[in-house]
Amino acid sequence: MKKDGETVRICKVETIAQGKGKLVRVSYEQRRRDGERQRRHREIYDNGNSAVILPYDADRKTVLLTRQLRLPVLLQDGMERTVEACAGKLDGEEAERRIVKEMQEELGYNISKLERLFELYVSPAAIMEKIVFFVCTYSPVNKVSDGGGLKEEGEDIEVVETTLEQAAAMVSTGEIVDAKTVVLVQYLRDRMQAAIRS
């Protein structure tokens, strides 16, 4: 965790809880734009950085997604399973290497050529996680298993193959509520529409 910035001095970092991730309380002093110094406290959750990918089959105009339990969504909205792009924690690995493994585990596809797009913080006010975004091409010949994730990690993942247009419609209707998936679906859809126009 980085300590001080140009206008910010970190005073204290204490761990409140630690499990799969770590919740810390950070006390800091910030010099405001008017020159006044202000003491503040924030809770920050660090559950590690991750990578996400949206595979696209240009011939069939399809994408591969997952459907799985997300407990926060169930508790907030009552939805037992959410539709998302394939993603996983880096756990110290290079993003490209990790997302290839995740695709094999979750989707059952073996892909070697990826396109790295950008890195984003999805909720920078309280969560340290930075996500590396990828797209790739795939076809039925890349399928090596049924996917589904790793049972020993508690994963029970359904592979969802749908058209890019249907995925965009799922965003509009609220069936896809995961921010990283919305970003990838919109990005890929805009790219495909721009290619048709040019």
Side-chain angles (χ1 to χ4, degrees), residues 5-192:
E6 199 172 300
T7 61
V8 178
R9 184 174 67 83
I10 304 299
C11 303
K12 185 176 182 181
V13 178
E14 55 187 318
T15 300
I16 298 171
Q18 188 159 2
K20 191 168 184 173
K22 181 164 66 169
L23 181 64
V24 296
R25 180 176 169 87
V26 180
S27 301
Y28 63 100
E29 190 175 88
Q30 180 180 9
R31 187 177 70 236
R32 298 171 52 83
R33 288 178 293 130
D34 63 10
E36 182 184 338
R37 296 195 81 74
Q38 186 176 32
R39 184 102 173 189
R40 312 271 317 267
H41 308 281
R42 289 270 188 227
E43 284 79 33
I44 306 291
Y45 184 61
D46 182 1
N47 63 333
N49 294 331
S50 61
V52 63
I53 192 162
L54 185 61
Y56 179 65
D57 183 334
D59 293 334
R60 297 181 302 135
K61 298 181 176 28
T62 56
V63 293
L64 291 173
L65 298 165
T66 67
R67 182 177 283 122
Q68 59 188 307
L69 170 67
R70 291 300 191 204
L71 199 52
V73 179
L74 173 65
L75 295 173
Q76 176 91 336
D77 292 331
M79 291 173 57
E80 278 198 28
R81 296 170 74 77
T82 63
V83 177
E84 303 175 23
C86 173
K89 295 294 173 197
L90 299 184
D91 294 327
E93 277 191 87
E94 186 179 289
E96 286 79 0
R97 181 183 301 248
R98 184 68 234 156
I99 202 63
V100 166
K101 288 180 186 175
E102 288 295 328
M103 281 189 62
Q104 286 180 13
E105 292 170 8
E106 294 186 4
L107 300 174
Y109 283 75
N110 186 13
I111 303 294
S112 58
K113 188 175 179 194
L114 310 170
E115 181 183 351
R116 187 179 184 131
L117 301 175
F118 37 73
E119 298 177 9
L120 298 175
Y121 289 92
V122 176
S123 187
I127 300 175
M128 285 184 64
E129 180 182 13
K130 182 168 35 173
I131 304 173
V132 183
F133 287 74
F134 293 94
V135 291
C136 70
T137 58
Y138 82 98
S139 75
V141 300
N142 301 115
K143 187 170 180 172
V144 294
S145 76
D146 290 333
L150 299 177
K151 187 176 182 180
E152 60 270 21
E153 291 182 7
E155 295 177 326
D156 180 23
I157 298 169
E158 176 188 348
V159 179
V160 177
E161 185 174 48
T162 188
T163 66
L164 179 58
E165 286 308 309
Q166 183 57 38
M170 293 164 79
V171 171
S172 298
T173 62
E175 189 175 348
I176 293 178
V177 295
D178 172 62
K180 63 189 181 301
T181 305
V182 172
V183 168
L184 279 172
V185 167
Q186 296 294 2
Y187 175 88
L188 190 57
R189 187 172 186 228
D190 289 350
R191 178 195 254 184
M192 294 301 113

